[in-house]
Amino acid sequence: MDQPQAGALPELPPPPPPSPGPEGRGGAPRRRRRLVWGALAVVLAVAAGSAVLATLERGPSAGARTLALSFTPGERETYRIHMTLDGTVSASELLAETPMTMDLTEVVTWEVTDVDEEGVATIAVTVDEMSGSLNGIDLPPDPSALRSLEMRVAPDGRVLEAGGLSFAGADLSGGATFPGMGQMTPLLPDHPVEPGDTWRTSFSQDVPFGRGTISYEAESTFERYDELDGVRVAVITSRMTVPMDLTIRFDDLLGMMEGAGGSPTDAGALEGTEVAYTGKGSFTQRSWVDLEAREPLKVASTGTFDMTMRIDGLETFEGREIRFIGDFTMDLERASAGSDYPSEAGV
């Protein structure tokens, strides 16, 4: 039996035979029934056509929109970054469990130097100001510690390169950060979304002076539209895990720092040293994305980390493992915006 074509109206059954009656009176009921069935067919056709038209007009969802970051060569923006860390460091037989605390504030300028055909931006990050402390010692120790980094960011917010171990890496904050803290921009979907929608993101971040990659697994939700400092924003929450399995070569790291105009005064002692990182970081990030400018207005992150570092090539620590665990917070906000942001301590 032939199957009806998609979208065709179902074949209507034939009208029932006229009921017996006086001769000459069966024609009128038959005509009325034909009129009723014909009217029903027209109603069904109009309804079907209206449903198809409504579907075409709505697309995936009447309220869905595309969220993406936009970059233009020469564009500059200034951000304030505040980081805190509360952790411990330990090494068997060498170092008892020792507290490590940090409170760091930076003012940085982002300048877009290039945008490729896929919309990935190369951004020069210059640290203009830095203040804070690491275990009670003021940072930075001297003005030469302030230097530039280069990062690459995709339109969906993935930081493909973070210029080091992290956005504010060992070269800026005395080593008190860890691989994975470089994801400072919101993770956005590759399809239109509306409030309540959730998506997953998996990607790896290149390590410029070692072997391996920094991997991210994230689940993000478009929480709501909001207004922040008079700007209409999309609020995005991402929950990320960052497994670590990489090796840093200090020869490469020191070469990069020298090329940028600075390196530790005792750098010679680190030549030939390698550090293998294993472990995991987990954090939650909430972002306020400026819908008109298509850039982050504010990003607030909290999280935990547990990593082990095995050092080879440094006599005192040769073959030994150092464990570094703790909690951290990290907030970024556009400097041109107001400072009275809502507290996100519970992110």
Side-chain angles (χ1 to χ4, degrees), residues 78-149:
T78 301
Y79 288 94
R80 290 187 293 267
I81 301 173
H82 180 235
M83 294 186 292
T84 68
L85 181 145
D86 185 6
T88 59
V89 180
S90 60
S92 59
E93 300 177 5
L94 284 179
L95 182 67
E97 191 171 282
T98 303
M100 178 173 283
T101 59
M102 181 187 73
D103 191 304
L104 176 69
T105 299
E106 296 176 333
V107 176
V108 301
T109 297
W110 292 11
E111 181 174 3
V112 179
T113 60
D114 182 64
V115 180
D116 69 16
E117 59 185 13
E118 296 181 352
V120 176
T122 299
I123 301 175
V125 183
T126 303
V127 182
D128 303 316
E129 301 174 17
M130 179 161 61
S131 62
S133 63
L134 175 65
N135 280 0
I137 300 174
D138 290 342
L139 291 174
D142 59 72
S144 66
L146 302 180
R147 68 177 200 83
S148 298
L149 302 172

Side-chain angles (χ1 to χ4, degrees), residues 10 13 21 43 47-48 62-63 160 162 197 205 209 225 231 234 243 267 270 278 286:
V43 171
L160 305 178
D197 286 351
Q205 195 176 89
F209 37 75
Y225 291 109
V231 176
L270 299 175
T278 56
R286 181 162 292 157

Side-chain angles (χ1 to χ4, degrees), residues 125-126 143-150 163 171-172 252-263:
V125 183
T126 303
S144 66
L146 302 180
R147 68 177 200 83
S148 298
L149 302 172
E150 188 173 88
D171 48 331
L172 293 182
D252 296 342
L253 174 61
L254 294 172
M256 184 195 73
M257 295 177 70
E258 289 173 358
S263 62

